[in-house]
Amino acid sequence: MYFAALLARTEDGWEASDTELDDVETLSDLADLAREASPEEDTVLVLIEQEDSWFGVVRVDGEEDPRIYVSDAAAAVRSAYGELLLTDELLGREPGADDGPDLDSLDLDGTEDGESEETVDGEEPPDADAVPHSPVGDREILADLGIGEKELRALDADDALGTIAEVLGASEVLETVR
């Protein structure tokens, strides 16, 4: 079960709207959706959560590139909305690198026949593309709004969006769209 909402900062405070992400296929689509919520190019936050598993915040300030924070990358990568947020850049991967092996760089050491390459103590080598069970992204994404890195990292997925909205003074408007 997912919940997604847009919080747009206006002259009068924060406005919230429930949003469907079914038609959103890329981070650019999500950023465009957020920009549409604020014609004045004010700050818009896209808040996404999945059943006490992970939460994500996407911040769009006018035409600037979106800033992203995901509370648990490994949990998020298993969901459609999480995959939307977990860009190569966010995960520290080379952007645009294809997922298949580079045939020019293969080490043909006898493991090409499906044998696994094991370390000395019998364990599999670490996967370079493994997604961490930890937060990724801009940990200062909400610092100027009253939630620093330490507070953001301490949030539990089950109540993170409510806590964020409370600090922003937007808990009532968020609850109306929940």
Side-chain angles (χ1 to χ4, degrees):
M1 182 82 163
Y2 293 93
F3 172 73
L6 296 172
L7 282 179
R9 186 165 53 181
T10 67
E11 294 175 357
D12 302 324
W14 292 92
E15 291 180 7
S17 58
D18 186 15
T19 187
E20 287 293 325
L21 299 179
D22 294 339
D23 296 330
V24 175
E25 295 180 8
T26 66
L27 183 58
S28 293
D29 293 344
L30 186 60
D32 290 343
L33 182 68
R35 288 183 185 103
E36 290 172 10
S38 178
E40 300 297 319
E41 295 191 4
D42 288 322
T43 299
V44 178
L45 301 176
V46 181
L47 305 174
I48 302 171
E49 70 180 0
Q50 180 189 8
E51 301 184 331
D52 304 337
S53 178
W54 66 274
F55 71 93
V57 179
V58 178
R59 179 176 177 161
V60 178
D61 293 301
E63 291 301 316
E64 293 181 24
D65 288 340
R67 296 165 57 191
I68 306 164
Y69 176 83
V70 176
S71 67
D72 183 339
V77 78
R78 294 187 298 266
S79 71
Y81 298 138
E83 285 184 345
L84 178 75
L85 303 180
L86 296 172
T87 62
D88 287 337
E89 181 180 343
L90 195 68
L91 294 172
R93 297 178 182 160
E94 185 67 34
D98 65 35
D99 296 329
D102 179 7
L103 297 178
D104 293 332
S105 66
L106 283 179
D107 181 14
L108 301 177
D109 61 357
T111 61
E112 69 272 12
D113 294 326
E115 301 169 25
S116 65
E117 187 175 331
E118 297 184 5
T119 58
V120 176
D121 57 3
E123 294 181 19
E124 290 289 324
D127 182 3
D129 291 331
V131 178
H133 284 279
S134 62
V136 295
D138 185 349
R139 290 173 173 89
E140 295 292 324
I141 192 169
L142 301 173
D144 64 323
L145 300 174
I147 302 172
E149 176 182 356
K150 184 177 179 181
E151 294 85 5
L152 188 61
R153 289 179 58 105
L155 293 176
D156 287 327
D158 63 338
D159 65 348
L161 301 191
T163 302
I164 291 169
E166 187 176 318
V167 171
L168 298 176
S171 56
E172 287 182 24
V173 294
L174 183 64
E175 284 305 313
T176 61
V177 297
R178 227 183 236 275

